[in-house]
Amino acid sequence: PLLLPPTAFAHLHRQAAALDALRPRMNDCCRHHSPLPCARRAWTDVLDGFCTDEFGVKTRQFHCCRRHGAA
């Protein structure tokens, strides 16, 4: 578990939650018949969700969330 105070470091909590969401999806991809496309989909889905959460708060968003498309 992440050892951060519950009332601060919200940006780190969001980052940790994204990584926690990615882990089981990547494990599933390792057993998939085409693991690389599966892993790319998993990464994009989790990153999209992370960026949605980032733009839902009034702090500065993580730098990768300001990129679009393949970037």
Side-chain angles (χ1 to χ4, degrees), residues 14 17-18 21 25 41-56 65:
R14 287 189 299 276
R25 295 200 51 190
R41 249 186 333 274
W43 171 251
T44 332
D45 291 349
V46 169
L47 190 58
D48 285 346
F50 169 75
C51 289
T52 299
D53 291 345
E54 281 285 282
F55 283 112
C65 292

Side-chain angles (χ1 to χ4, degrees), residues 16-35:
L19 291 174
D20 286 342
L22 182 62
R23 187 173 296 119
R25 295 200 51 190
M26 293 300 270
N27 287 338
D28 289 342
C29 288
C30 289
R31 293 184 291 275
H32 200 268
H33 67 279
S34 53

